[in-house]
Amino acid sequence: MRGGKREGAGRPLTAGEVRKQRQLRASTEEWELIKRFDKLIKYGDKEACIKALAELESKK
């Protein structure tokens, strides 16, 4: 048999969960902010990010 999925093939899951690829449009300034926040969520304190967003959103 040729082609198709093979069990165990592909990059191993290192994040502990499957991450879907997403797409959005942003200005250069917005993209820099998105990248910084992305690093905090992935490698920093995810719970603190959730609290900060809740606080910012409540000030609307």
Side-chain angles (χ1 to χ4, degrees), residues 21-38:
Q21 187 170 355
R22 315 258 182 203
Q23 184 175 332
L24 59 98
R25 293 177 188 261
S27 68
T28 303
E29 183 180 338
E30 291 167 337
W31 189 247
E32 291 303 317
L33 290 170
I34 292 166
K35 284 180 14 182
R36 286 173 58 197
F37 198 73
D38 177 58

